[in-house]
């Protein structure tokens, strides 16, 4: 099914290439140069060749085998609407980092947009971890700072009215996550550290927190770093209103979780987190809220477990053991009381 959809997309691009990409002359070819299979979709890499240059396009085609034809259309329409909304806002503010939508293929269960040139920030972190001296050139720190600046800009242009900080609700959610993680092996000492530290870090009295559109998937793997800056291509999970800091907390949690790999050391992840926070420009008074939200995101990862078959007991046990140790270390670093 996905093959027939991409064939229709290619045919449409071939027919409308000169109006879709004004300024070019004489279409030469439209070709698919690769594809990446994901859990619920495929991403096709398409090149549109003109006599005076080329344009790259990313076509995201949802799998109908997962949700049916109507489900694929619904997912595509939601994502396309999110992308068009954010792209329009960024264009008005003359900001970059959001791909331009190309055509409307939602009836085919697809979303098509111009392709960013670059590589995921997570790949840069891994490269820095495996190649001694690579991070010394400042590439990693600069990319992380630009990521923070981009997210701050995204939250600013999509801002809503701030909402009260519901400390009790956040603590209840954190406690429930700790209970769920206890079943995976998180010990009582780590749980006490997390809950005690969270109570001390969260603000007392009336306090409001910024609200905006929330990507809900702002991770080092989804953040593309290129020569022209950074950007996000996937808006499938975006919601129009939510707590802005949830995006920042998820990003920081994903960066810190990379430490579970033995070759990814604390110095690298600390550099990325510090530069990101500096770029995001969060106030000192709200650093505590961000630390608690980051721990909440880490606990969600732990509670969810690794995505392996139930029969792979050994892999599940290894994952739980590694994550348990990692969560305990993260709790001591972020939420343990000062000596």
């Amino acid at each position: 099914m996905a093959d027939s959809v991409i064939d229709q997309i290619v045919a449409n691009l071939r027919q409308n290439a000169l109006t879709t990409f004004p300024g070019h002359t004489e279409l030469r070819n439209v070709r698919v140069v690769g594809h990446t299979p994901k859990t619920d979709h495929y991403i096709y890499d398409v090149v549109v060749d003109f006599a005076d240059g080329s344009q790259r396009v990313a076509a995201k085609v949802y799998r109908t085998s997962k949700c049916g034809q109507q489900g694929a259309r619904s997912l595509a329409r939601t994502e396309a609407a999110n992308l068009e909304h954010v792209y329009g806002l960024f264009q008005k503010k003359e900001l970059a980092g959001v791909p331009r939508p190309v055509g409307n293929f939602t009836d085919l269960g697809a979303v098509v947009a111009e392709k960013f040139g670059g590589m995921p920030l997570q790949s840069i972190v891994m490269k820095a971890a495996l190649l001694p001296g690579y991070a010394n050139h400042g590439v990693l720190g600069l990319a992380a700072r630009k990521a923070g600046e981009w997210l701050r800009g995204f939250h600013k242009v999509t801002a809503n009215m701030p909402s009260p900080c519901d400390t009790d609700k956040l603590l209840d959610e954190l406690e429930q996550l700790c209970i769920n993680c206890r079943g995976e092996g998180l010990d009582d000492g780590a749980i006490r550290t997390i809950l005690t530290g969270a109570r001390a870090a969260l603000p007392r009295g009336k306090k409001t927190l910024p609200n905006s559109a929330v990507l809900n998937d702002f991770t080092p793997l989804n953040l593309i770093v290129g020569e022209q800056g950074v950007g996000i291509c996937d808006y499938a999970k975006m919601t129009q209103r939510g707590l802005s800091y949830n995006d920042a907390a998820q990003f920081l949690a994903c960066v810190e979780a990379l430490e579970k790999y033995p070759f990814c050391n604390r110095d690298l992840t600390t550099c990325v987190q510090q530069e990101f926070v500096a770029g995001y420009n969060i106030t000192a008074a709200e650093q505590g809220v961000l630390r608690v939200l980051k721990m909440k995101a880490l606990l969600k990862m732990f509670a969810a477990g690794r995505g392996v078959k139930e029969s792979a007991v050994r892999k599940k046990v290894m994952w739980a053991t590694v994550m348990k140790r990692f969560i305990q270390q993260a709790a001591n670093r972020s939420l343990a009381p000062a000596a």
Side-chain angles (χ1 to χ4, degrees), residues 245-286:
Y245 292 160
N246 281 335
D247 277 338
Q250 183 182 28
F251 178 87
L252 294 172
C254 289
V255 171
E256 191 151 328
L258 294 177
E259 292 177 33
K260 66 182 181 286
Y261 299 109
F263 54 82
C264 196
N265 62 48
R266 177 67 180 162
D267 291 339
L268 283 177
T269 58
T270 298
C271 168
V272 174
Q273 292 186 74
Q274 289 178 345
E275 291 293 334
F276 172 82
V277 170
Y280 192 75
N281 195 29
I282 190 170
T283 64
E286 292 170 348

Side-chain angles (χ1 to χ4, degrees), residues 176-245:
Q176 186 58 53
L177 280 169
C178 286
I179 292 172
N180 294 341
C181 291
R182 181 184 282 136
E184 297 290 336
L186 190 64
D187 64 44
D188 290 338
I191 293 175
R192 281 195 298 271
T193 299
I194 292 169
L195 296 179
T196 303
R199 292 188 185 96
L202 290 173
R204 296 175 177 80
K206 293 183 179 180
K207 178 72 176 177
T208 59
L209 297 175
N211 270 240
S212 64
V214 181
L215 291 163
N216 296 308
D217 206 15
F218 188 78
T219 68
L221 193 58
N222 287 335
L223 182 78
I224 304 300
V225 180
E227 293 183 0
Q228 305 302 318
V230 303
I232 291 289
C233 303
D234 197 321
Y235 295 82
K237 297 180 181 179
M238 190 186 101
T239 51
Q240 294 292 334
R241 181 178 175 85
L243 180 59
S244 303
Y245 292 160

Side-chain angles (χ1 to χ4, degrees), residues 130-149:
L130 294 169
L131 299 176
Y134 177 79
N136 294 341
H137 299 292
V139 175
L140 190 59
L142 178 61
R145 183 177 288 264
K146 290 296 182 183
E149 292 172 357

